[in-house]
Amino acid sequence: EVQLVESGGGLVQPGRSLRLSCAASGFTFSTYVIGWVRQAPGQGLEWVSLIDSTERITKYADSVKGRFTISRDNAKNTVYLQMNSLKPEDTAVYYCAADTAEYRVVAGKAVYWGQGTQVTVSS
């Protein structure tokens, strides 16, 4: 059974940091592109970041570039999203997504999804 389990969300003040984790099982993790996609209240899905299977290529949406860092540990089947300088507009449910094709992760059409973790940025 394929599983992607996110953790690390919570309530944080503007300007502070959070680190999200996504633990994967049930598929060959090291061969998949892994991304983070978020959904703010009343909004559609927004792609945030991705990392390729080799760990060499990382990409970010303009809205988070310079503040968020994605990384992965293929030995642990885990992807991380370090979020710094958080803003109220970062408030959303954050989903981990996996696919063999980068474009499907960016388009919100990845084959595997986690259940999401809530991030709330508020004073």
Side-chain angles (χ1 to χ4, degrees):
E1 178 189 8
V2 171
Q3 284 194 313
L4 292 171
V5 180
E6 302 95 335
S7 61
L11 172 63
V12 64
Q13 293 180 329
R16 304 298 291 267
S17 299
L18 278 177
R19 188 175 84 152
L20 305 183
S21 299
C22 171
S25 61
F27 64 102
T28 309
F29 178 83
S30 61
T31 65
Y32 278 68
V33 175
I34 309 295
W36 289 93
V37 178
R38 67 187 181 185
Q39 186 168 30
Q43 304 294 316
L45 293 174
E46 177 191 15
W47 168 73
V48 174
S49 180
L50 65 83
I51 185 166
D52 81 328
S53 60
T54 69
E55 305 178 51
R56 295 193 193 106
I57 297 173
T58 59
K59 296 185 179 180
Y60 300 92
D62 287 344
S63 57
V64 306
K65 201 170 293 183
R67 299 188 297 121
F68 290 11
T69 303
I70 191 170
S71 61
R72 68 190 289 167
D73 184 339
N74 284 344
K76 295 183 178 179
N77 284 8
T78 301
V79 171
Y80 305 97
L81 186 68
Q82 179 66 42
M83 307 186 295
N84 298 332
S85 303
L86 283 162
K87 304 176 181 179
E89 51 263 44
D90 294 318
T91 295
V93 177
Y94 284 72
Y95 298 94
C96 177
D99 203 292
T100 54
E102 178 181 309
Y103 78 91
R104 284 199 289 266
V105 173
V106 174
K109 297 184 183 301
V111 62
Y112 300 134
W113 290 82
Q115 82 290 346
T117 186
Q118 176 71 48
V119 172
T120 302
V121 185
S122 174
S123 54

